[in-house]
Amino acid sequence: MKNVPSKISIIVPVYNVENYLAKCLDSLVNQTYQNIEILVVNDGSKDDSENIIQDFANRFPGKIKAFFKENGGLSDARNFGIDHATGDYLGFVDSDDYVSQTMFEEMIDLAEKHHAEMVICNIQKVDENGNVTQKLTQIPNMPEKIDLNENFSVFSDLSYFACNKLFKKEIFAGKRFKKGVHFEDIQLIPQLLLECKTLAQTQNYHYQYLERTDSISKSHTEKGLDILKAVEDVELYFKTSQYSIKLKELKNFQILEGVYTFLAYLAFVKDESVFYKMSHSLKVFMKERNINFKDILIYSRFDKNYLLSLPLKKKVFYLLFFTGQKKLIRKLI
């Protein structure tokens, strides 16, 4: 008797994306892997998104499950999807992005071949004409199958997007995206990884991340402090995890997300008082964790010095910041 293929639940939160939603849903209903359900969660959209969802639900009743709820934000919509998912595996796709036809077929094959609790693919940024603007390679220095106990550097090297991964549903037991915060992926996905023993990856660029021309450029505010809070939540979870003795990798995670990711956000904060307040918070964060300038200078990602791998503009910003030249930075911003 042939085994029934595993079911994948793909969760698509929707909020005012009428110009992009059809392309996203098209890419999902046309997956080469057939045993999927697509949970489209309309998070209180005010535009024509609901009509587009209903059209797809009518045309693909066996695949699309349509839900409408009051607006609660991205985390709330994703959590709603998780609660209603019936699959063995979960995937998340943002409603203005789209994916390759074979994404979920390859990822489920890898999950089952290697008994992996999480599978990762590469991302490419695309413009509205479908031209690739940037390739985001995820873990270039690792094999297809990754035993976390032997290769725990992945914990501090990985980019913690939810959307380019396939998860075994059971690792979400008792865990959900944190509501009312920014950077919810940095808060939850590392905790999910700490539940895993085996990861798998493909070097294919299955996930197409759309850089929208119509999106109002996000204002960079005190919300960036949520990055530091996300790292704190991960630290707490780390202490009781199966990998709690791997303190070197924890420190590298603190440097990548708590220092470098935070600074990349801070570089775009226009309000001077907010900039200085956030700078002070970073200083306290580093002092409490005994992270010094030398740690940051020698920090490696994917077995290469991270600072040296960055574009010149970023290098200059980081070096000015760490040498206390904040007034000069303010003139450059």
Side-chain angles (χ1 to χ4, degrees):
M1 191 175 142
K2 199 179 175 190
N3 288 336
V4 178
S6 296
K7 188 177 187 182
I8 300 175
S9 299
I10 304 167
I11 295 161
V12 185
V14 171
Y15 183 69
N16 292 350
V17 282
E18 60 183 5
N19 295 332
Y20 310 100
L21 184 55
K23 187 165 188 173
C24 172
L25 296 180
D26 262 330
S27 76
L28 296 177
V29 296
N30 288 307
Q31 285 295 297
T32 52
Y33 191 78
Q34 288 297 301
N35 195 15
I36 60 172
E37 62 175 8
I38 303 156
L39 296 95
V40 189
V41 183
N42 188 347
D43 192 37
S45 295
K46 307 258 189 307
D47 64 358
D48 203 38
S49 293
E50 180 63 18
N51 288 330
I52 296 166
I53 294 166
Q54 290 308 321
D55 174 53
F56 272 85
N58 292 335
R59 287 192 286 138
F60 304 96
K63 285 185 181 170
I64 300 271
K65 288 187 175 180
F67 300 93
F68 187 94
K69 60 180 279 301
E70 282 185 24
N71 181 257
L74 178 63
S75 290
D76 196 48
R78 282 177 173 171
N79 292 342
F80 184 97
I82 296 166
D83 293 340
H84 289 81
T86 62
D88 309 292
Y89 292 85
L90 300 181
F92 299 90
V93 175
D94 290 343
S95 50
D96 47 0
D97 299 334
Y98 54 98
V99 301
S100 74
Q101 237 182 329
T102 57
M103 173 168 168
F104 288 102
E105 181 178 16
E106 183 177 14
M107 292 178 87
I108 193 77
D109 283 351
L110 289 169
E112 296 187 328
K113 176 183 170 185
H114 299 302
H115 304 288
E117 298 97 336
M118 187 187 295
V119 184
I120 300 150
C121 72
N122 287 335
I123 298 174
Q124 53 192 15
K125 290 187 177 181
V126 292
D127 64 20
E128 301 208 7
N129 298 316
N131 300 311
V132 177
T133 57
Q134 190 181 359
K135 285 183 175 289
L136 302 173
T137 310
Q138 297 303 291
I139 0 180
N141 62 331
M142 287 283 165
E144 183 181 276
K145 179 184 180 181
I146 302 165
D147 180 319
L148 271 180
N149 229 351
E150 293 172 20
N151 296 292
F152 197 64
S153 62
V154 169
F155 175 74
S156 52
D157 287 349
L158 201 58
S159 294
Y160 283 109
F161 306 109
C163 59
N164 67 323
K165 297 173 179 67
L166 184 70
F167 305 90
K168 201 107 189 266
K169 190 187 177 187
E170 62 199 36
I171 65 173
F172 278 87
K175 294 181 197 62
R176 292 295 183 266
F177 289 94
K178 195 170 184 179
K179 290 192 260 188
V181 299
H182 289 215
F183 307 98
E184 57 284 303
D185 288 3
I186 296 174
Q187 194 269 348
L188 179 67
I189 310 300
Q191 294 186 45
L192 297 176
L193 184 136
L194 292 170
E195 289 295 315
C196 301
K197 287 187 165 59
T198 307
L199 307 184
Q201 66 148 339
T202 167
Q203 285 297 310
N204 286 323
Y205 292 84
H206 285 303
Y207 196 88
Q208 317 300 306
Y209 175 92
L210 179 67
E211 291 195 286
R212 287 161 56 172
T213 51
D214 74 334
S215 65
I216 304 156
S217 63
K218 290 176 186 169
S219 56
H220 286 65
T221 66
E222 277 185 61
K223 276 287 182 187
L225 291 170
D226 284 352
I227 297 169
L228 301 184
K229 290 176 195 153
V231 172
E232 284 171 23
D233 285 351
V234 173
E235 289 167 349
L236 280 173
Y237 198 78
F238 192 94
K239 282 178 188 173
T240 57
S241 78
Q242 60 191 314
Y243 302 107
S244 59
I245 60 165
K246 296 184 181 285
L247 298 178
K248 180 192 170 195
E249 288 82 1
L250 175 62
K251 187 160 191 173
N252 281 340
F253 172 80
Q254 292 163 337
I255 291 170
L256 178 63
E257 299 294 359
V259 179
Y260 278 115
T261 300
F262 185 80
L263 277 176
Y265 184 95
L266 186 64
F268 293 96
V269 171
K270 300 282 188 230
D271 185 294
E272 194 164 344
S273 63
V274 172
F275 176 88
Y276 281 110
K277 181 184 175 182
M278 289 175 70
S279 298
H280 177 71
S281 296
L282 177 60
K283 212 172 174 181
V284 172
F285 174 90
M286 289 170 62
K287 192 175 180 184
E288 286 174 350
R289 286 153 187 83
N290 197 25
I291 298 169
N292 58 43
F293 186 36
K294 187 188 171 189
D295 294 327
I296 288 154
L297 283 179
I298 64 170
Y299 164 71
S300 281
R301 189 182 188 198
F302 311 129
D303 303 324
K304 291 177 182 173
N305 183 280
Y306 185 64
L307 193 60
L308 293 177
S309 73
L310 295 172
L312 181 62
K313 202 173 175 184
K314 276 192 173 180
K315 271 191 206 127
V316 169
F317 174 78
Y318 292 147
L319 288 170
L320 286 174
F321 186 91
F322 291 126
T323 52
Q325 305 296 316
K326 295 188 185 69
K327 283 184 180 173
L328 183 54
I329 287 173
R330 292 307 305 167
K331 284 178 186 173
L332 296 173
I333 289 179

